Each structure stands twice: as structure tokens, then as C-alpha cells.
Amino acid sequence: LMCGSHSGEEEHVKLVEEILEKIGLTAGDLKCGIQVPLHYKVRDTVPRPSDTFTPLHNNCSGKHAAMLALCVFKSWGIQNYLDFDHPCQKTILKAVADACHYPAEKIGRGIDGCGAPVFAMPLRNIARGMAQLLSPFTVPREIAKVYSSIVLAMRENPSMVSGEGRFDYILTEAANGKILSKSGAEGVQMFGVPDQRLGGAVKIEDGATRAVWP
């Protein structure tokens, strides 16, 4: 869930809430904003007038909960955890740079729809980042454990990476975990083949996801 973009289904919301409870925080500490859960679009339905939503329903709340957990673990302040200069974001930038084999100082930075810093780099390096996750034997042991945990979690819990009816979930399920998939905004898609330690990335120039799936 921490590396996913979930659909705001009941199990997703409950798990984010449990993560926050473990670290002594609440939904009010999430700075991802509120959105209508993605599962409505997948099911081609609309919310009822009585339905209410919180930041827990945001598709990025799992990632934001992960950032907050890191802050609590490191005793960093949480009020500005999304700032570019916050230790949390500097840590994430370094981790991405290391995995993608691309200098941190060359990575372009912007603001994602959820308010978090988002990075730009060549597609080749995005693909290499996925391949690196699938090749833990090439990095120090403590990092290898992290990579292996992420890959195992994605293979065993594809519904937490996205949600039922979503492309990432369907692809991983159809391939029996032999393909990992993670969508991004603006027509970006990452995928990996764990058994072959291959990573790939697609970016649709006009940002539409329609062309990603085929």
C-alpha cells in the first residue's frame, strides 16, 4: 500500500488508518488532500449524496502514511513533510537516485496532484529503477532487504498496489505475479519481470492513459 495508488476501497482505507494508528497519528496529519475514491470510476458509479470522504480515501494516502512513518521513526517534524528541503523528501530523492542510477542533482522536481514532490528523469532510468528493485544482489545487504520486501509485497498483494478492476491489479493477477505493474500520472507506466530481473517504463506523450494498456 505504501508504494501503491489505491482505489479507496474499504480495505485500503482501513489499512491506511491502521498505519497511522501505529505511529500515533490520524487522517488529519495527511497532507494529500481529499478526492472521490477511484473505485467509483472503475465500477462506473457515482457517490451517494450521503457519502463523505477524508484524506484516507486519496489514492496516495498510503504513500503519505509511509512518509509520516519515516518522520516519526526519525523524530522529524511532520508539519512540513512535503517540502523539498525536508529530511523526508531528501531521503526519498536519494533513494530514487540510487535505484535509478541517475544523479540526484539532475533529477527534475515538480509537485504531484497529491502535493508531494514528484521527479523527472529519462525513461531509461525509470526502467532501470524497476530492474534494480528486482536485482537486490547488486546492492548492499541492508538495501537488498528493503528491495526484496517491496517486490514480495507487490507480488503477494496486487490489490493493495491499485485495486480491483485497475490495470496494475489485472496485469499482475493475469500473470500470476510474474509481472509487476505500477501506474503513474500523465501516462506513465512502470513494469517489471521479477524472474528475469527486467524493468520497463512507458510514457504517453500527451499524458492520456488510454494508449498505455495496449
Side-chain angles (χ1 to χ4, degrees):
L1 191 70
M2 288 180 168
C3 65
S5 298
H6 65 75
S7 294
E9 297 168 13
E10 185 176 346
E11 62 175 353
H12 299 141
V13 173
K14 185 173 183 291
L15 189 55
V16 176
E17 202 167 30
E18 289 176 1
I19 293 170
L20 291 171
E21 186 177 338
K22 286 180 180 179
I23 59 177
L25 300 178
T26 67
D29 295 304
L30 295 169
K31 296 188 181 299
C32 53
I34 301 172
Q35 69 173 162
V36 175
L38 295 179
H39 70 77
Y40 284 100
K41 183 177 181 180
V42 173
R43 298 169 183 169
D44 197 24
T45 59
V46 295
R48 295 168 298 183
S50 59
D51 289 341
T52 58
F53 308 115
T54 74
L56 295 171
H57 294 87
N58 188 296
N59 78 101
C60 292
S61 63
K63 295 189 285 284
H64 281 251
M67 296 176 198
L68 288 171
L70 176 62
C71 291
V72 171
F73 180 69
K74 292 286 191 178
S75 299
W76 296 331
I78 65 169
Q79 294 303 317
N80 60 336
Y81 73 91
L82 295 181
D83 289 357
F84 284 131
D85 293 330
H86 192 281
C88 175
Q89 299 306 327
K90 287 183 177 180
T91 300
I92 294 172
L93 177 62
K94 183 181 185 306
V96 170
D98 289 348
C100 296
H101 297 265
Y102 197 71
E105 61 272 15
K106 288 187 177 182
I107 293 178
R109 296 188 296 179
I111 301 296
D112 206 352
C114 66
V118 65
F119 307 132
M121 68 183 74
L123 269 180
R124 178 182 180 86
N125 294 90
I126 297 176
R128 193 171 180 183
M130 177 62 89
Q132 181 68 84
L133 277 180
L134 305 176
S135 308
F137 56 87
T138 63
V139 295
R141 182 176 298 178
E142 64 273 15
I143 302 297
K145 290 180 181 178
V146 176
Y147 288 176
S148 296
S149 294
I150 292 171
V151 171
L152 183 61
M154 291 180 73
R155 294 184 80 169
E156 293 188 346
N157 305 277
S159 65
M160 290 296 166
V161 178
S162 56
E164 290 194 23
R166 301 267 303 281
F167 179 69
D168 293 331
Y169 175 75
I170 291 171
L171 184 58
T172 302
E173 281 285 282
N176 292 319
K178 293 180 179 179
I179 298 176
L180 297 183
S181 179
K182 177 65 183 76
S183 64
E186 294 299 312
V188 171
Q189 184 74 40
M190 293 177 67
F191 55 92
V193 185
D195 294 345
Q196 298 181 44
R197 301 188 180 92
L198 294 176
V202 173
K203 167 70 173 87
I204 305 304
E205 190 171 16
D206 68 0
T209 57
R210 175 181 53 81
V212 169
W213 308 325

